[in-house]
């Protein structure tokens, strides 16, 4: 909690050892970092980020030596970090660094919690710089030895304890494990679009090589070697690919800003930024060169192996021959269509999922509820003072114009990004699980009186909590209907008792049953849930829920003023409506739908160009044949049907193969879809019909041109 000059806000900081900046090789832009003595005894000094210096202190050159209040403790600013330094994880930027020895002052808690003497507290990361020539594998082996030695010396706290090494940056294993599946899906989609594009370019190069067969034959006749011709043709294809890659990079800088625009208006706890660095540039250029070589090689080999005599006479190959139905060019078209179907079905599933998600009823009124989070422990409030603060704040906010109801909760619904999801082992009292078997974990939340009335969640039976449900009164709980179905299938739950294994295991009497709602994500299945009165289970960090008659954002400023009036150094953070929470929870689905939708459109466009290109080239090659057919009595409709049927066969075969591939590969995105099956028949049928329709249009244009062939001109055609 950062408070200064009567203003307070919530900022992300880090407790670090004195040599933190030295190990990272970071030099301050202003002032200094920490001194050795500040690593041994508590010293209220702080280093701030360049961003905070600009935003909060207006880039004051004399900021070093000035004071600010952090969690109720006055600190002196001793330095400002460089502009590009935000800590060791770019995704989770920090704005303040303070000495580790100040831990007990800024993070008070139970006895011993603020010290470094408790071996069971494992919430510190150790950073090290590898010696020259030492690999991560070697360093990990050394840490395994250390972990084994610690387990032997301290079996109570270190038994089965391991040390995991990872690179700094965004290398935290849990974070990478969260992002890896998403990035793999996007990379696979991009790879499919690249394959479609390369197949299209290869087809165009094959057609170009066929048109240059006479030129190639003359070069071979005059003594050019096949190797030299292949090298020349490969050089041309690589130049094409590199130019295309450079054009894509230029387009990338514009598209990155569009991706950034997809972020919600509310601030995210994760830094979602997109940058194009030298690694992206190098990868793109390397991929362009490889694509030029791989997909230019086959056309180069094809072009350089012509029979000289037919080529010098400029004899056309009869592409209308049924035996060539599955020739290389047609096979490439079929491949393009098949891959396009896979990408388009993926895009269709994500788009339908996003639409379904928006229509999901969360089980509460999301449009008219404002939430504000507080952490009173950071201001060293005890349980009594925290209760007084929340009670006074609730009364003040309730009296504001436009406010209908006010309540509190430890965690706001669907606030996965902002607060942890709480769950505890629960069993029905008198029905303890068998020896060696763990009781099921059930989600729980500490809430205030009128919580369900404020959120608009129906109470099915029993009562809500009141101000009388506090310490000293019988412990009571409210459960949802899923918990009733699972634990009390044929029994009235009111009056039954649950044993909840919190920090202090205790028994709670069920006094109410509420309708199910969404707690962690819109896509979750119904889960058992238990609600406890926060007055009997006090928590320092709570979220105020304010139900308004209009737009909840309209009362946010007034609520903030009431908070400032009670404690100017206690900031409200995560100020947003429950609708914003839903918007944030849909961020991955929105990114997926937009990105894969764009790639799907590109795939469709490229595949249709490929079909058009092959059919157009086929018509030009068969001008002589079509002229003979028309001279012998074929009508324009017959020629139209002939050309379209051959192109549509390619499309239908590609659609069939692609649908089969999609059935196999779309299962990997199952966990990212809301209320949509990965084999959704509507999506498969609609995408298949769409691509067939586009293919029909791509075939119709060259087929229409074929019907206008003049037989006399065609018979003279060479």
């Amino acid at each position: 909690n950062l408070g200064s000059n009567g203003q307070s806000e919530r900022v992300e900081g880090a407790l670090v050892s004195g040599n933190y900046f030295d190990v990272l090789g970071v030099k301050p832009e202003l002032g200094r970092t920490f001194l050795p003595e500040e690593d041994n005894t508590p010293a209220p000094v702080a280093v701030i980020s360049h961003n905070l210096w600009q935003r909060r202190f207006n880039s004051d050159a004399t900021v070093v030596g000035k004071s600010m209040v952090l969690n109720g403790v006055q600190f002196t600013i001793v330095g400002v970090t460089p502009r590009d330094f935000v800590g060791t994880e770019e995704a989770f930027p920090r704005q303040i660094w303070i000495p580790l020895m100040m831990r007990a002052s800024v993070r008070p808690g139970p006895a011993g919690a603020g010290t470094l003497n408790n071996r069971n507290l494992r919430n510190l990361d150790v950073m090290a710089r590898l010696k020259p020539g030492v690999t991560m594998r070697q360093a990990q082996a050394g840490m395994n030895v250390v972990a084994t030695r610690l387990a032997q010396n301290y079996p109570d706290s270190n038994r089965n304890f391991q040390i995991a090494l990872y690179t700094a940056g965004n290398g935290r294993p849990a974070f990478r494990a969260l992002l890896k599946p998403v990035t793999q899906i996007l990379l696979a989609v991009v790879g499919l679009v690249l394959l479609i594009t390369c197949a299209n370019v290869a087809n165009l190069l094959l057609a170009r090589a066929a048109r240059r067969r006479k030129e190639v034959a003359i070069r071979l006749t005059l003594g050019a070697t096949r190797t030299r011709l292949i090298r020349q043709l490969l050089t041309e294809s690589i130049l094409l690919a590199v130019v295309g890659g450079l054009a894509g990079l230029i387009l990338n800088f514009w598209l990155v800003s569009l991706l950034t625009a997809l972020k919600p208006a509310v601030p995210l706890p994760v830094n979602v930024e997109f940058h194009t660095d030298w690694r992206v540039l190098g990868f793109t250029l390397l991929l362009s060169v490889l694509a030029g070589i791989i997909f230019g090689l086959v056309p180069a080999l094809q072009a350089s192996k012509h029979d000289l005599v037919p080529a010098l006479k400029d004899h056309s190959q009869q592409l209308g021959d049924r035996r060539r139905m599955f020739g290389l060019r047609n096979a490439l078209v079929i491949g393009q269509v098949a891959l396009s179907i896979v990408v388009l079905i993926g895009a269709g599933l994500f788009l339908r999922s996003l639409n379904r998600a928006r229509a999901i009823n969360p089980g509460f009124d999301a449009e008219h509820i404002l939430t504000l989070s507080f952490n009173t422990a950071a201001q060293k409030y005890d349980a009594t003072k925290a209760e007084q603060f929340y009670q006074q704040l609730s009364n003040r906010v309730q009296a504001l114009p436009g406010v209908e109801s006010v309540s509190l909760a430890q965690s706001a619904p669907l606030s996965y990004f902002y607060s942890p999801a709480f769950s505890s082992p629960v069993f029905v009292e008198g029905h303890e699980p068998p020896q060696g078997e763990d009781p099921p974990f059930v989600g729980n939340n500490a809430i205030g009186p009128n919580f369900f009335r404020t959120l608009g969640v129906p109470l099915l039976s029993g009562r809500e909590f009141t101000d009388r449900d506090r310490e000293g009164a019988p412990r009571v709980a409210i459960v949802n209907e899923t918990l009733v179905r699972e634990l009390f299938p044929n029994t009235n739950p009111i009056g039954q008792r649950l044993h909840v294994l919190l920090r202090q295991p205790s028994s709670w009497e069920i006094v109410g049953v509420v309708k199910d709602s969404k707690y962690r994500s819109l896509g979750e299945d119904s889960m058992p849930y238990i609600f406890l009165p926060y007055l009997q289970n006090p928590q320092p960090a709570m979220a105020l829920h304010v139900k308004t008659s209009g737009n909840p954002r309209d009362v946010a400023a007034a609520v903030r003023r009431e908070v400032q009036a009670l404690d100017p150094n206690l900031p409200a953070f995560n100020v947003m409506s429950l609708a914003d929470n839903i918007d944030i929870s849909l961020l991955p689905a929105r990114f997926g739908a937009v990105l894969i939708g764009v790639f799907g459109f590109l795939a469709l466009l490229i595949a249709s160009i490929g079909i058009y290109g092959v059919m157009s080239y086929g018509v030009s090659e068969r001008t002589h044949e079509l002229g003979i057919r028309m001279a012998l009595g074929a009508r324009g409709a017959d020629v139209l049907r002939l050309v379209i049927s051959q192109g549509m066969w390619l499309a239908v075969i590609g659609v069939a193969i692609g649908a089969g591939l999609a059935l196999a590969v779309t299962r990997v995105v199952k966990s990212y879809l809301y209320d949509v099956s990965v084999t959704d028949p509507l999506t498969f049928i609609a995408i298949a019909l769409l691509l067939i329709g586009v293919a029909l249009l791509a075939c119709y244009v060259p087929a229409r041109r074929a019907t206008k062939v003049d037989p006399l001109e065609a018979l003279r055609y060479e």
Side-chain angles (χ1 to χ4, degrees):
N1 291 344
L2 169 62
S4 62
N5 302 324
Q7 297 178 333
S8 62
E9 64 175 298
R10 181 82 163 177
V11 295
E12 295 292 332
L15 289 151
V16 300
S17 58
N19 64 345
Y20 172 83
F21 294 100
D22 295 334
V23 170
L24 295 177
V26 175
K27 303 297 182 183
E29 182 172 330
L30 290 176
R32 62 172 176 87
T33 56
F34 301 131
L35 302 175
E37 55 267 27
E38 292 166 347
D39 204 21
N40 298 321
T41 57
V45 294
V47 175
I48 63 174
S49 70
H50 189 279
N51 174 271
L52 185 66
W53 174 56
Q54 286 186 318
R55 178 175 57 81
R56 189 66 186 257
F57 298 95
N58 199 27
S59 301
D60 183 2
T62 62
V63 71
V64 174
K66 291 191 173 181
S67 298
M68 61 181 177
V69 178
L70 297 177
N71 287 6
V73 179
Q74 191 168 33
F75 280 78
T76 301
I77 299 172
V78 296
V80 178
T81 64
R83 180 187 298 271
D84 57 351
F85 182 74
V86 293
T88 54
E89 292 176 295
E90 189 178 2
F92 303 97
R94 299 293 189 259
Q95 299 188 63
I96 293 177
W97 294 265
I98 61 178
L100 191 58
M101 296 304 293
M102 292 298 297
R103 175 191 177 102
S105 299
V106 297
R107 296 185 64 177
T115 72
L116 300 176
N117 300 322
N118 187 342
R119 301 195 66 88
N120 291 309
L121 288 180
R122 299 189 181 116
N123 54 0
L124 291 178
D125 293 322
V126 179
M127 287 168 287
R129 184 179 294 279
L130 293 179
K131 292 180 179 178
V134 176
T135 65
M136 283 288 286
R137 184 187 296 272
Q138 292 170 328
Q140 181 66 69
M143 289 298 100
N144 292 342
V145 174
V146 172
T148 302
R149 191 181 305 130
L150 287 171
Q152 293 171 350
N153 295 336
Y154 307 97
D156 292 340
S157 61
N158 285 68
R159 185 184 292 112
N160 300 323
F161 182 68
Q162 296 178 334
I163 300 174
L165 295 189
Y166 58 91
T167 55
N170 292 322
R172 188 178 294 272
F175 182 62
R176 292 181 66 85
L178 182 68
L179 287 184
K180 192 173 181 180
V182 178
T183 54
Q184 286 176 335
I185 291 171
L186 288 176
L187 186 61
V189 171
V190 172
L192 289 176
V193 175
L194 180 63
L195 278 176
I196 296 166
T197 308
C198 289
N200 205 343
V201 172
N203 237 337
L204 295 175
L205 290 175
L206 283 171
R208 187 164 177 263
R211 288 188 176 278
R212 296 174 65 182
R213 56 183 172 266
K214 189 170 183 177
E215 172 202 336
V216 171
I218 292 173
R219 287 174 178 268
L220 289 171
T221 304
L222 293 176
T225 63
R226 190 182 180 195
T227 302
R228 184 171 181 179
L229 283 173
I230 291 174
R231 189 165 62 242
Q232 176 192 335
L233 295 173
L234 268 181
T235 301
E236 293 175 4
S237 65
I238 292 172
L239 282 174
L240 270 177
V242 170
V243 170
L246 290 173
L249 281 174
I250 294 171
L251 186 62
N252 154 78
F253 290 107
W254 174 65
L255 290 176
V256 161
S257 60
L258 290 183
L259 284 178
T260 305
L262 291 175
K263 292 194 302 182
V266 295
L268 289 169
V270 178
N271 183 28
V272 183
E273 298 293 343
F274 303 93
H275 304 289
T276 302
D277 59 14
W278 65 268
R279 291 167 295 185
V280 175
L281 294 173
F283 175 75
T284 305
L285 291 176
L286 177 62
L287 201 61
S288 300
V289 172
L290 289 176
I293 294 173
I294 295 171
F295 289 89
L297 186 59
V298 173
L301 291 173
Q302 288 277 88
S304 62
K305 70 172 186 179
H306 286 301
D307 294 331
L308 296 183
V309 174
L312 290 171
K313 292 181 177 179
D314 204 15
H315 284 179
S316 302
Q317 297 180 15
Q318 294 301 315
L319 298 184
D321 189 347
R322 290 281 182 181
R323 291 173 297 180
R324 298 193 59 83
M325 181 65 185
F326 296 101
L328 181 58
R329 279 199 289 274
N330 289 347
L332 287 172
V333 170
I334 291 172
Q336 287 182 64
V337 173
L339 294 177
S340 299
I341 277 286
V342 174
V343 178
L344 284 167
I345 286 177
L349 289 174
F350 269 88
L351 288 170
R352 277 184 45 81
S353 170
L354 186 60
N355 286 332
R356 289 285 186 91
R358 286 171 174 158
I360 292 175
N361 180 10
F364 52 82
D365 179 7
E367 299 298 327
H368 298 93
I369 296 175
L370 179 75
T371 63
L372 305 90
S373 297
F374 304 90
N375 186 354
T376 56
Q379 295 301 111
K380 301 180 176 59
Y381 283 21
D382 58 20
T384 302
K385 188 175 181 181
E387 180 187 335
Q388 292 173 351
F389 168 79
Y390 287 127
Q391 184 62 52
Q392 292 172 1
L393 180 61
S394 298
N395 294 337
R396 283 171 171 265
V397 173
Q398 182 70 69
L400 292 175
V403 173
E404 295 184 355
S405 180
V406 177
S407 188
L408 292 160
Q410 186 179 11
S411 176
L414 302 180
S415 59
Y416 178 79
F417 275 107
Y418 291 94
S419 60
F422 302 99
S423 60
S424 304
V426 173
F427 60 86
V428 179
E429 195 163 89
H431 295 79
E432 289 80 0
Q435 186 70 26
E437 184 177 325
D438 295 327
F441 274 76
V442 174
N444 62 71
N445 199 359
I447 62 173
N450 300 321
F451 178 76
F452 300 109
R453 182 166 66 88
T454 300
L455 264 68
V457 177
L459 185 68
L460 301 180
S461 62
R463 65 174 178 86
E464 278 207 54
F465 298 138
T466 67
D467 289 331
R468 293 188 297 273
D469 296 316
R470 58 176 58 248
E471 284 294 339
R475 294 183 177 273
V476 293
I478 295 174
V479 298
N480 70 345
E481 52 187 333
T482 297
L483 186 142
V484 173
R485 282 196 302 269
E486 293 187 4
L487 298 184
F488 307 99
N490 300 308
T491 308
N492 181 6
I494 304 298
Q496 301 287 334
R497 304 193 72 86
L498 292 174
H499 202 76
V500 184
L501 302 181
L502 298 170
R503 289 181 180 176
Q504 295 180 347
S506 52
S507 175
W508 304 75
E509 179 186 349
I510 299 175
V511 296
V513 178
V514 294
K515 193 171 180 60
D516 286 342
S517 58
K518 302 297 183 181
Y519 307 109
R520 300 177 185 175
S521 73
L522 282 176
E524 69 188 15
D525 296 327
S526 297
M527 64 171 64
Y529 216 79
I530 181 171
F531 299 89
L532 308 175
Y534 95 96
L535 292 174
Q536 294 181 344
N537 186 33
Q539 304 293 332
M542 298 290 287
L544 188 73
H545 290 59
V546 183
K547 184 176 183 180
T548 64
S549 56
N551 189 334
R553 294 184 182 88
D554 295 341
V555 302
V559 175
R560 283 181 181 274
R561 285 194 294 271
E562 298 300 330
V563 176
Q564 290 287 306
L566 289 173
D567 187 342
N569 289 323
L570 179 62
F573 55 98
N574 300 341
V575 181
M576 63 186 73
S577 68
L578 289 185
D580 292 330
N581 270 350
I582 293 178
D583 197 33
I584 293 169
S585 71
L586 291 178
L587 184 61
R590 188 182 304 110
F591 267 112
V594 171
L595 289 175
I596 299 181
V598 169
F599 293 137
F601 173 76
L602 284 175
L604 179 65
L605 180 64
I606 295 166
S608 61
I609 291 173
I611 295 173
Y612 171 81
V614 166
M615 297 311 300
S616 182
Y617 175 75
V619 167
S620 66
E621 286 286 282
R622 297 170 61 187
T623 302
H624 189 70
E625 172 200 338
L626 295 175
I628 293 175
R629 287 177 180 271
M630 297 184 74
L632 293 176
R635 295 173 300 170
D638 298 325
V639 173
L640 188 71
R641 187 165 54 251
L642 172 68
V643 176
I644 288 179
S645 65
Q646 292 188 359
M648 291 307 296
W649 267 113
L650 299 179
V652 169
I653 294 171
V655 166
I657 295 173
L661 287 173
L663 280 172
V665 302
T666 51
R667 300 183 187 279
V668 300
V669 301
K670 181 178 181 180
S671 59
Y672 299 97
L673 301 179
Y674 294 94
D675 200 26
V676 174
S677 168
V678 292
T679 58
D680 180 48
L682 181 61
T683 302
F684 275 71
I685 293 172
I687 294 299
L689 292 177
L690 172 65
L691 204 144
I692 288 174
V694 171
L696 179 63
L697 182 62
C699 292
Y700 176 79
V701 177
R704 181 69 177 169
R705 190 169 69 247
T707 63
K708 299 185 180 300
V709 171
D710 184 348
L712 292 178
E713 291 293 328
L715 291 174
R716 297 193 196 102
Y717 178 80
E718 294 189 10

